[in-house]
Amino acid sequence: MQNITLKNGRLSFSAIEAGEGPLVLCLHGFPDNYHSYDQQIPALVNAGFRVVIPMLRGYEPQSQPSNGDYHLNKMVEDVQGWINQLGAKKAHLVGHDWGAVIGYLTANTAPELLHSLTTLAIPPLQDLPVAIRNNPKQLLLSWYTLFFQLRGLSDWWVERSDWKFIEQLWHRWSPTWTIPQTTLASVKHTFAQPGVKKAALTYYRHSFDNRSAQSKEIATTRALPTNTPTLAIAGWEDGCMSAKLYDSPLHARHFSAGLKIERINGAGHFLHQEQPELVNELLLSWIIQHNNST
């Protein structure tokens, strides 16, 4: 493994790179960092792939835009720029949590750049509002998104007592997992960097913006058909996004290149860290199946 720097305009993004071969680009979520995929790297490299895992926009000072724009279309632009910078005509894109949302939007925006998409813990976006209405418990699980709209109070609460709130989220979202203290320490270290907390919370604050041109662009992109072969994996014990959200029979109609849904027993929101062998088996099977140059 080596550390590299990716660019998009004036922004710089630290990334981990390992292996040689077709590119697998992995995007982390909240509250997390690029170590999220440490247990996927050996399996992917041993299978003959080049793995690159960047820090998302805002998760370090050098990737924080001066205008504070964390609308998701900007992250899609980051991904497109990274693939180009890495010299790959196409990539296999893997995303967890916010990284999965960015993955779906990238697939809808630029399917010509992707061999495949694998999402972790986030169901397909097109019919997600319908799925949530059919599973009202999800509104209770998503309480924190409303809490983050309380500027000032939520910023203070997230950081208080050595980031106790973040630690509690991990335990609630993956209730059956004994989380390594080194994992929590790494995430806390990331959030302690200047500007990271504000950036991460702004993802959620921008998601409630329905008036700006950016939000309208994102809504249009979200509704587009997905023309990239997509594997969506969830954990049955997910305390953040209910695995029942994947039940809708309407999801598949939006995926012209195919949608496969897998749900894993004994895993929660951070399923790729909780059950790495099972997730790696599914992931490798999918990207090998769709590893072609067309």
Side-chain angles (χ1 to χ4, degrees):
M1 292 193 299
Q2 63 177 340
N3 293 318
I4 63 173
T5 299
L6 300 177
K7 296 277 190 178
N8 185 18
R10 296 182 178 181
L11 303 183
S12 298
F13 306 82
S14 298
I16 297 170
E17 180 182 38
E20 297 180 353
L23 176 63
V24 180
L25 185 63
C26 302
L27 311 178
H28 69 81
F30 170 92
D32 209 349
N33 58 33
Y34 60 10
H35 289 296
S36 186
Y37 294 95
D38 281 357
Q39 296 182 83
Q40 280 65 59
I41 293 173
L44 290 166
V45 170
N46 290 338
F49 291 94
R50 176 191 183 193
V51 186
V52 175
I53 310 167
M55 296 285 273
L56 288 186
R57 175 179 288 233
Y59 275 71
E60 51 192 345
Q62 63 266 32
S63 67
Q64 295 165 8
S66 58
N67 63 358
D69 191 349
Y70 294 99
H71 286 93
L72 292 170
N73 57 331
K74 295 301 180 182
M75 284 69 149
V76 172
E77 292 175 6
D78 292 339
V79 172
Q80 291 174 292
W82 297 337
I83 293 173
N84 180 65
Q85 180 185 342
L86 291 166
K89 292 182 178 180
K90 285 190 172 187
H92 297 277
L93 190 58
V94 182
H96 172 248
D97 190 81
W98 276 116
V101 177
I102 297 165
Y104 284 124
L105 295 176
T106 302
N108 291 4
T109 301
E112 70 279 2
L113 292 179
L114 303 182
H115 290 297
S116 72
L117 171 66
T118 300
T119 63
L120 304 169
I122 300 294
L125 302 182
Q126 291 93 337
D127 283 312
L128 185 54
V130 175
I132 291 175
R133 285 199 297 270
N134 291 334
N135 295 275
K137 181 182 176 182
Q138 181 58 47
L139 296 175
L140 296 176
L141 296 179
S142 298
W143 66 271
Y144 64 94
T145 64
L146 292 173
F147 177 62
F148 290 159
Q149 307 312 306
L150 301 176
R151 290 168 170 79
L153 174 61
S154 61
D155 298 68
W156 168 76
W157 192 261
V158 166
E159 187 174 351
R160 66 181 286 274
S161 301
D162 188 29
W163 308 95
K164 183 178 180 180
F165 180 84
I166 285 180
E167 187 168 344
Q168 289 173 336
L169 284 184
W170 275 69
H171 286 292
R172 290 172 182 169
W173 291 357
S174 290
T176 62
W177 182 33
T178 302
I179 305 168
Q181 286 302 310
T182 53
T183 298
L184 294 172
S186 175
V187 171
K188 291 178 181 181
H189 175 75
T190 294
F191 273 75
Q193 303 308 303
V196 172
K197 175 185 65 176
K198 181 179 180 180
L201 296 184
T202 302
Y203 278 54
Y204 291 94
R205 291 163 184 170
H206 279 352
S207 71
F208 278 73
D209 165 27
N210 58 9
R211 295 183 178 181
S212 69
Q214 295 99 318
S215 66
K216 293 176 181 178
E217 176 185 340
I218 295 164
T220 299
T221 302
R222 186 177 62 239
L224 292 173
T226 304
N227 299 317
T228 300
T230 301
L231 170 65
I233 314 176
W236 276 113
E237 313 303 324
D238 194 329
C240 175
M241 297 295 292
S242 171
K244 293 182 179 180
L245 295 174
Y246 293 77
D247 286 342
S248 173
L250 301 178
H251 287 320
R253 66 177 178 164
H254 300 287
F255 290 78
S256 59
L259 170 67
K260 184 177 183 181
I261 294 173
E262 296 281 358
R263 285 174 280 198
I264 297 177
N265 288 318
H269 192 64
F270 298 91
L271 62 157
H272 57 304
Q273 299 186 53
E274 299 171 63
Q275 298 280 2
E277 292 184 1
L278 290 175
V279 171
N280 291 350
E281 182 180 352
L282 293 170
L283 173 61
L284 281 171
S285 176
W286 190 254
I287 65 175
I288 290 171
Q289 177 184 348
H290 297 285
N291 188 46
N292 56 69
S293 58
T294 58

